[in-house]
Amino acid sequence: MLALLQLLSAAPDLSWCQRIWITINVPEPKLLDGLRPWQVNGEYCIGRIKFFLIVNRHPLGFGANHNQAFLKDRSQNSPSKYFVVMNPDISWSADPWLALLDSACQPEVGCVYPIQIDGKGRPQDYRRLLPTPWALWKRHVLKSSSERDVHIPDWVSAALLLFPAEVFAEIQGFDERYHMYCEDVDICLRLQLAGYRLVGVSNACVTHTARRASRSDAHHLLWHIRSLWRLWFSSACWRFWRQRHALRTHSPRGR
């Protein structure tokens, strides 16, 4: 988080950013100590931009934390026009924000997202197709599916997403029943069902070192399985699958 704040403080133009919300989901005394240099007259600031801490009494899920921040921003005298969801381990070498904002201004945009690479500069699989049981079997068991070349994704990773605030409010944000995992799948499906587009920005690139915690941590694995189960039986998933299947069936290529 501290490295991310340093990056933001060095950004050439933050005029678009009204405020930043940082959620302390579990006790992090080292982070709080590290934030003290940013405190001026009792307020945290990056230049002219204030950032606020949300310290949870009890840990919340990914979606609940971001919804909480969004509602706090909406309660301000001048709510932000855009809402950015961003992991603290995101970084960049070239500023991505103006390119992202330029794309977010286009009609029917539900969210915009940058290219994601890992720490070695390799493309991440941040754009994916619907995670059906068969797709997951091919990916993890048969090892026969790579989604790094998906150009029209069904969903994208929420490591960094920029939403028009009115759109995020319209679809009521993340579904908080997903404690962790698949909340990004669900919100992307609901955006598209509502008539909005997921827009990739080719001239914006960030580095994200994905933890893949569900592959090594039993708690994360259980959360992942529960979220997949919820997704597969959700209205959004079935409606999206039927819509996509109908489009493929009636397209010339699908005949």
Side-chain angles (χ1 to χ4, degrees), residues 23-38:
T23 299
I24 310 294
N25 199 36
V26 295
E28 296 189 62
K30 288 185 178 180
L31 174 58
L32 293 175
D33 288 342
L35 290 173
R36 285 177 183 168
W38 303 90

Side-chain angles (χ1 to χ4, degrees), residues 155-200:
W155 67 280
V156 292
S157 164
L160 197 164
L161 296 175
L162 188 153
F163 301 86
E166 293 298 331
V167 173
F168 193 84
E170 178 187 330
I171 64 166
Q172 300 179 16
F174 289 103
D175 185 337
E176 297 180 13
R177 293 175 295 179
Y178 296 92
H179 178 77
M180 190 176 290
Y181 303 106
C182 295
E183 60 282 293
D184 44 9
V185 186
D186 171 77
I187 199 169
C188 286
L189 300 186
R190 289 188 289 115
L191 281 169
Q192 292 170 93
L193 288 168
Y196 294 106
R197 297 181 293 126
L198 315 179
V199 178

Side-chain angles (χ1 to χ4, degrees), residues 131-148:
T132 62
W134 173 238
L136 293 177
W137 180 265
K138 287 173 60 180
R139 177 184 174 88
H140 296 290
V141 178
L142 301 181
K143 307 293 184 182
S144 63
S145 175
S146 174
E147 296 185 277
R148 285 181 171 82

